[in-house]
Amino acid sequence: MAIQLRDYQKECIDKVSAMFRGGAKSVLLQKPTGSGKTRTASYVVDSYAAKGRQVLWLVHREELLMQASMTFAEYGIKRES
């Protein structure tokens, strides 16, 4: 299943990408509850994985890990050992 993003989610990814291309070493993206942070991040993870790049996903709560795992599974993003 392809990940479909809303326009404002695509805009966030475009802005973050532009910052990195502009030389930023780190970027913090903050979005409100219900804005699709996990879906947006899933799109980025899937895009990097499709290019053979590695992604490290860190969370500080088990609930966030479960949420992300379910979203990744929904979109067919598989964990590599």
Side-chain angles (χ1 to χ4, degrees):
M1 168 187 270
I3 302 172
Q4 298 295 317
L5 297 178
R6 297 183 184 274
D7 290 340
Y8 65 87
Q9 294 166 328
K10 292 176 191 173
E11 185 179 330
C12 285
I13 291 172
D14 291 344
K15 286 182 179 181
V16 168
S17 295
M19 293 179 77
F20 280 121
R21 283 193 308 274
K25 299 287 185 204
S26 60
V27 176
L28 173 66
L29 174 61
Q30 180 179 340
K31 295 170 64 175
T33 300
S35 63
K37 292 181 290 294
T38 304
R39 177 184 291 245
T40 303
S42 296
Y43 179 88
V44 173
V45 168
D46 191 41
S47 297
Y48 272 71
K51 296 174 185 172
R53 306 222 16 217
Q54 291 183 342
V55 177
L56 176 63
W57 186 273
L58 298 174
V59 295
H60 70 288
R61 297 185 58 106
E62 187 171 339
E63 296 85 358
L64 296 175
L65 177 62
M66 295 307 299
Q67 177 186 0
S69 294
M70 289 188 304
T71 302
F72 289 173
E74 179 182 347
Y75 295 121
I77 301 169
K78 304 214 185 306
R79 176 179 166 223
E80 298 291 327
S81 310

